[in-house]
Amino acid sequence: DGTRTVAFVHESRAFPEDCRSADILIVRFTAPRDCSGPSLIIDRRALTQNGSHTITWPEDSGGSEIVVKTSELATGCRLWLAGQ
């Protein structure tokens, strides 16, 4: 039916449950790499590597597809991260 569960994790102790149940996980800290349940994880690592993220659900997909765009893809290399 195209329904997605999005979880925004504020505290690390809530992470295991949200990792098991969410389709999209947004985390303030770096998520452990063994979290494989969500189809998309946006954490500190993803933000450092790719910048801000935009998530959309195209109407023509009936909500079954998500499209993720990042500032890295839109603008290329971010100068303030050069040399890291």
Side-chain angles (χ1 to χ4, degrees):
D1 68 354
T3 302
R4 301 265 189 239
T5 302
V6 179
F8 183 83
V9 182
H10 292 276
E11 297 183 27
S12 59
R13 66 177 180 231
F15 182 81
E17 179 181 343
D18 290 331
C19 180
R20 287 188 302 273
S21 63
D23 298 305
I24 298 172
L25 194 58
I26 302 171
V27 187
R28 292 181 164 196
F29 47 88
T30 301
R33 292 189 186 269
D34 63 349
C35 177
S36 60
S39 59
L40 175 64
I41 299 173
I42 300 173
D43 66 352
R44 182 170 285 158
R45 183 183 310 113
L47 292 172
T48 298
Q49 292 174 351
N50 302 308
S52 60
H53 290 59
T54 302
I55 305 167
T56 58
W57 289 263
E59 287 185 34
D60 60 350
S61 75
S64 63
E65 177 186 337
I66 62 171
V67 175
V68 180
K69 294 182 182 178
T70 66
S71 60
E72 170 74 18
L73 291 174
T75 62
C77 180
R78 297 183 324 262
L79 297 176
W80 57 91
L81 292 178
Q84 287 190 9

